[in-house]
């Protein structure tokens, strides 16, 4: 009895060691699985189309989707090894890079209009926000928070001038609060919430991405860890090609894409099409604005270092 | 008396040694295994950011704000619980209602009601106070009524025979009799109030100027300041220890232990 117990224990130990060796090294490189961490919304149309048209499978990959509620959660998923690639805003990416995460940008992912919408006719510019006026952003350190900070520096001379007004709310909750005029007076947001809020009577833009940042930029970037890029380079290429194919398909068949995605967004196909082709929306893999964000975030104290060259934070395939 | 005192000291020393070993293991495993500091910061770096965040006033400011919200929420919960229990002791059908309500509401985590609370009350401190109150009120009511019901009827009869009026009967017989239960109700309420306060702020993120420790942890998470996240947790732990050691154990010593109602040490 005692001997057989020991035998089983030894066997289990050997199995465990073998499994961990194979899992960690040999199998990692050959598995076609691609764990993708993203969020939900119009921005993610290329991923959703790739799923509907099985584009990843065409490129020899088996995608495993993981949907999160914020860029920070996507980032945590990459750090903990739950995901191979993740989509997040440039600021969350840079905060991770600054803190020593071993990763780079593999592609830009959609340029979208971002705007600060208010429900208060009194507020014409950032100067008009009183201390009690709450401004909703999805989270601290998000693209929207950094844009607000940029606008505050331009208009009020201090990047943290409005930090006391911040409230972190997910987009749907913030949109509901803004429309019902409860709790918040302004919301820094993206489509479709931006479009829906601006359709309300009396709602207007206080500032937007172009005024705050100066030019258009990639709202999201595809972030890939060095581990995945270096050890599964074939799959890395396949991933980039798949996204490029999906984006090209959307740009050539926007009407059809809108029809396919409308039920996901619970919008009519016409409205989805209108939103997908709104001025300022562009599905492109060019990575825009990386250094602009890095320089501002260093100046304002959100990160401690700036890449000396943009090559430090992009993989070799990225078009700027 | 002397014996209990030295027992307490030995207990504290043993617990202190255990904590020290735990912390040393933490520090050593981080250093020896070269764990990434993003996932697992060393204890030294946690202490560093704890000191830095205390000196710049942020942690203290956040702590005071959290305690302020918890203070209000808990007070409302305790006072309402006392009123409700008093009513249900006096009036039978209220007692039946409270029992049903308790069965429904007690298992429901306060934080689960947060989405509704936000719709009704908005996203300010009032919502956090509401969640704290809802989380804390049910354990207090439950323990109060269990405590009152657990008093042997003979004790009440003796009180009556001694000619105590209603008020004196409550003060000298019912309350002391139910006190061990009341105390454990308060302990649970305190713990649940903290959970509610921190959790609520991590869901809707409070707002810049007026956020407590939950907001501190939430904000640091988004900037990947893992050591600061730990520092925030340390403050919560320290407050918890302080309240338990100084507050509850002191109350226990001057009440139930002096009355000889508890045996464990």
């Amino acid at each position: 009895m005692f001997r057989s117990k020991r035998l089983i224990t030894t066997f289990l130990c050997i199995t465990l060691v073998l499994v961990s060796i194979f899992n960690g090294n040999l199998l990692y490189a050959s598995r076609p699985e691609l764990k993708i961490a993203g969020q939900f919304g119009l921005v993610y149309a290329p991923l959703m189309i790739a799923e509907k048209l099985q584009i990843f499978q065409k490129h020899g990959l088996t995608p495993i989707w993981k949907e999160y509620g914020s860029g920070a959660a996507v980032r945590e998923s990459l750090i903990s090894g739950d995901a191979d690639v993740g989509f997040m805003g440039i600021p969350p990416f840079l905060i991770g890079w600054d803190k020593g995460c071993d990763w780079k940008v593999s592609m830009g992912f959609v340029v979208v209009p971002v705007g600060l919408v208010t429900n208060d006719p009194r507020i014409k510019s950032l100067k008009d926000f009183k201390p009690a006026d709450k401004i909703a952003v999805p989270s601290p350190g998000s693209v929207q928070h950094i844009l607000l900070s940029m606008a505050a520096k331009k208009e009020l001379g201090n990047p943290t001038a409005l930090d006391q007004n911040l409230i972190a709310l997910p987009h749907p909750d913030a949109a509901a609060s803004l429309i019902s005029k409860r709790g918040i007076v302004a919301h820094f947001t993206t489509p479709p919430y931006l479009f829906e809020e601006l359709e309300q009577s009396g709602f207007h833009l206080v500032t937007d991405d172009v005024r705050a940042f100066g030019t258009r930029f990639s709202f999201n970037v595809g972030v890939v860890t060095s581990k995945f890029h270096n050890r599964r380079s074939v799959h890395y290429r396949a991933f980039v090609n798949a996204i490029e194919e999906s984006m090209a398909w959307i740009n050539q068949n926007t009407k059809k894409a809108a029809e396919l995605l409308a039920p996901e967004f619970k919008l009519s196909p016409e409205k989805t099409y209108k939103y997908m082709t709104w001025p300022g929306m562009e599905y492109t893999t060019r990575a825009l604005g990386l250094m602009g964000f890095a320089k501002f975030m260093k100046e304002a104290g959100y990160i401690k270092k700036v890449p000396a060259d943009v090559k430090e934070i992009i993989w070799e395939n990225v078009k700027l | 008396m002397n014996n209990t005192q030295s027992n307490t000291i030995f207990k504290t020393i043993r617990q202190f040694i255990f904590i020290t070993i735990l912390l040393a293991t933490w520090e050593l495993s981080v250093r020896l295994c070269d764990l990434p500091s993003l996932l697992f910061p060393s204890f030294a770096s946690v202490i560093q950011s704890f000191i830095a965040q205390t000196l710049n006033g942020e942690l203290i400011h956040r702590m005071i704000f959290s305690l302020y919200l918890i203070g209000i929420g808990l007070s409302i919960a305790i006072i309402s619980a006392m009123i409700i229990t008093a009513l249900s002791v006096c009036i039978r059908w209220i007692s039946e209602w409270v029992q049903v309500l308790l069965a429904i509401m007690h298992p429901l985590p306060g934080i689960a009601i947060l989405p509704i609370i936000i719709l009704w009350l908005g996203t300010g401190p009032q919502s956090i106070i509401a969640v704290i109150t809802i989380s804390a009120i049910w354990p207090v009511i439950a323990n109060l009524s269990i405590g009152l019901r657990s008093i042997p009827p003979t004790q009440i009869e003796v009180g009556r025979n001694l000619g105590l009026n209603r008020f004196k009967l409550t003060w000298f017989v019912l309350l002391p009799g139910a006190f061990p239960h009341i105390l454990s109700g308060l302990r649970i309420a305190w713990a649940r109030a903290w959970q509610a306060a921190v959790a609520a702020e991590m869901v809707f993120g409070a707002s810049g100027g007026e956020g407590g420790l939950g907001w501190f942890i939430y904000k640091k998470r988004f900037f990947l300041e893992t050591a600061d996240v730990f520092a925030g947790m340390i403050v919560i732990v320290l407050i918890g220890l302080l309240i338990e050691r100084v507050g509850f154990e002191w109350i226990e010593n001057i009440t139930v232990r002096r009355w000889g109602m508890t045996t464990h040490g």
Side-chain angles (χ1 to χ4, degrees):
Chain A
M1 189 63 194
F2 182 69
R3 275 178 68 100
S4 70
K5 235 184 196 171
R6 232 170 61 178
L7 213 73
I8 291 170
T9 323
T10 322
F11 178 72
L12 275 178
C13 281
I14 292 170
T15 323
L16 255 175
V17 170
L18 285 179
V19 163
S20 59
I21 289 172
F22 278 102
N23 230 5
N25 294 306
L26 295 176
L27 285 179
Y28 182 75
S30 61
R31 273 184 311 205
E33 279 147 36
L34 176 70
K35 290 180 279 181
I36 306 168
Q39 300 170 61
F40 181 79
L42 270 179
V43 173
Y44 299 92
L47 284 181
M48 295 159 92
I49 287 293
E51 186 182 11
K52 294 230 180 266
L53 303 182
Q54 306 252 309
I55 292 176
F56 281 110
Q57 286 81 347
K58 265 205 291 187
H59 288 264
L61 296 166
T62 315
I64 298 169
W65 304 97
K66 289 163 188 278
E67 198 176 293
Y68 295 94
S70 70
V74 170
R75 190 172 58 194
E76 282 156 6
S77 151
L78 276 170
I79 292 173
S80 65
D82 273 349
D84 300 313
V85 301
F87 291 88
M88 62 183 92
I90 294 174
F93 159 75
L94 285 171
I95 290 169
W97 172 81
D98 182 50
K99 289 278 181 316
C101 292
D102 194 9
W103 61 30
K104 290 183 184 182
V105 168
S106 63
M107 64 181 66
F109 194 69
V110 188
V111 174
V112 301
V114 195
L116 179 63
V117 185
T118 179
N119 58 13
D120 189 341
R122 175 176 62 81
I123 295 168
K124 301 275 190 300
S125 75
L126 295 189
K127 280 195 288 294
D128 303 324
F129 282 107
K130 297 213 181 74
D133 292 338
K134 301 257 170 75
I135 305 169
V137 295
S139 64
S142 59
V143 183
Q144 290 86 345
H145 176 204
I146 301 300
L147 284 175
L148 185 69
S149 186
M150 285 174 174
K153 195 184 168 221
K154 275 193 180 157
E155 288 187 36
L156 309 171
N158 174 10
T160 58
L162 292 170
D163 273 9
Q164 301 297 312
N165 299 60
L166 281 188
I167 174 158
L169 274 179
H171 285 303
D173 298 338
S177 299
L178 194 74
I179 290 167
S180 64
K181 304 206 169 173
R182 287 196 107 132
I184 64 171
V185 299
H187 180 203
F188 220 131
T189 190
T190 45
Y193 307 100
L194 178 68
F195 305 149
E196 280 168 16
E197 288 171 13
L198 286 175
E199 278 170 8
Q200 305 285 320
S201 83
F203 286 36
H204 62 276
L205 272 179
V206 185
T207 189
D208 62 21
D209 48 347
V210 177
R211 264 186 277 170
F213 186 72
T215 58
R216 295 161 73 229
F217 58 85
S218 303
F219 179 73
N220 248 279
V221 288
V223 179
V224 174
T225 57
S226 297
K227 185 183 170 198
F228 182 77
H229 172 269
N230 297 342
R231 286 162 68 182
R232 291 176 60 187
S233 48
V234 176
H235 293 150
Y236 174 81
R237 275 311 314 176
F239 159 68
V240 172
N241 292 340
I243 298 285
E244 264 165 8
E245 187 183 328
S246 177
M247 283 213 194
W249 194 86
I250 290 179
N251 289 329
Q252 282 154 20
N253 312 280
T254 316
K255 267 237 154 69
K256 261 193 236 162
E259 275 166 31
L260 276 175
L261 297 181
E264 304 276 340
F265 298 123
K266 302 198 172 59
L267 294 170
S268 67
E270 295 74 34
K271 211 164 196 182
T272 311
Y273 179 72
K274 191 177 149 200
Y275 287 170
M276 286 177 75
T277 52
W278 198 282
M281 286 287 285
E282 193 191 338
Y283 292 102
T284 170
T285 52
R286 285 178 65 200
L288 306 169
L290 285 171
M291 289 305 276
F293 271 102
K295 280 177 190 146
F296 173 81
M297 287 172 72
K298 165 78 171 44
E299 255 175 59
Y302 293 110
I303 54 176
K304 291 183 192 66
K305 55 180 187 186
V306 173
D309 187 290
V310 73
K311 291 215 163 62
E312 278 181 40
I313 52 170
I314 55 171
W315 293 118
E316 68 290 339
N317 61 295
V318 175
K319 299 182 292 276
L320 294 168
Chain B
M1 194 65 195
N2 245 338
N3 197 21
T4 24
Q5 245 171 8
S6 62
N7 263 346
T8 321
I9 291 168
F10 277 125
K11 183 177 146 197
T12 314
I13 290 172
R14 280 196 301 269
Q15 286 173 337
F16 185 76
I17 291 171
F18 172 68
I19 295 288
T20 316
I21 292 172
L22 218 60
L23 293 180
T25 320
W26 174 359
E27 184 69 26
L28 275 177
S29 51
V30 171
R31 278 171 196 246
L32 294 180
C33 306
D34 198 26
L35 294 170
S37 64
L38 275 178
L39 298 184
F40 214 66
S42 71
F43 181 65
S45 68
V46 170
I47 289 300
Q48 259 170 22
S49 52
F50 175 75
I51 292 169
Q53 297 292 336
T54 309
L55 290 181
N56 71 17
E58 168 127 32
L59 265 181
I60 294 173
H61 175 80
R62 302 290 175 206
M63 181 189 81
I64 291 171
F65 193 78
S66 281
L67 286 174
Y68 163 74
L69 293 183
I70 290 172
I72 297 179
L74 258 186
S75 310
I76 299 174
I78 292 170
I79 292 168
S80 342
M82 278 160 66
I83 295 171
I84 292 170
T85 317
L87 283 174
S88 61
V89 167
C90 300
I91 306 164
R92 184 141 169 222
W93 48 266
I94 291 193
S95 150
E96 283 159 9
W97 289 5
V98 171
Q99 274 173 35
V100 174
L101 213 55
L102 203 61
I104 297 170
M105 297 296 289
H106 196 29
L108 194 64
I111 199 70
I113 316 170
L114 186 66
I116 306 296
I117 304 263
I118 291 178
L119 286 178
W120 290 345
L121 300 177
T123 49
Q126 68 276 11
S127 293
I128 300 179
I129 292 174
V131 174
I132 294 172
T133 307
I134 292 169
S135 305
I137 191 169
W138 306 110
V140 181
I141 293 181
N143 282 279
L144 257 176
S145 33
I146 292 171
L148 291 178
R149 261 184 277 145
S150 69
I151 299 170
T154 37
Q155 284 186 13
I156 301 172
E157 292 300 320
V158 169
R160 286 217 176 102
N161 284 341
L162 287 171
L164 298 179
N165 62 24
R166 263 202 164 180
F167 175 76
K168 280 189 172 165
L169 194 71
T170 311
W171 188 251
F172 290 109
V173 180
L174 294 182
L175 269 183
F179 210 80
H181 287 280
I182 295 176
L183 209 57
S184 64
L186 288 180
R187 276 195 168 116
I188 300 170
W190 163 255
R192 286 186 76 168
W194 262 108
Q195 288 163 12
V198 172
E201 284 189 338
M202 290 173 82
V203 170
F204 74 83
S207 62
E210 37 185 35
L213 286 166
W215 170 247
F216 178 84
I217 293 176
Y218 183 86
K219 202 172 61 173
K220 296 303 178 186
R221 171 198 169 198
F222 280 94
F223 286 104
L224 273 185
E225 309 274 4
T226 317
D228 285 346
V229 171
F230 274 93
M233 300 194 308
I234 287 182
V235 177
I236 296 173
V237 170
L238 286 180
I239 296 171
L241 277 178
L242 202 72
I243 294 286
E244 174 62 33
R245 274 300 157 90
V246 178
F248 285 119
E249 287 198 0
W250 176 74
I251 296 177
E252 209 169 51
N253 279 335
I254 62 160
T255 55
V256 285
R257 218 163 270 179
R258 212 169 67 184
W259 303 333
M261 292 175 76
T262 174
T263 47
H264 60 84

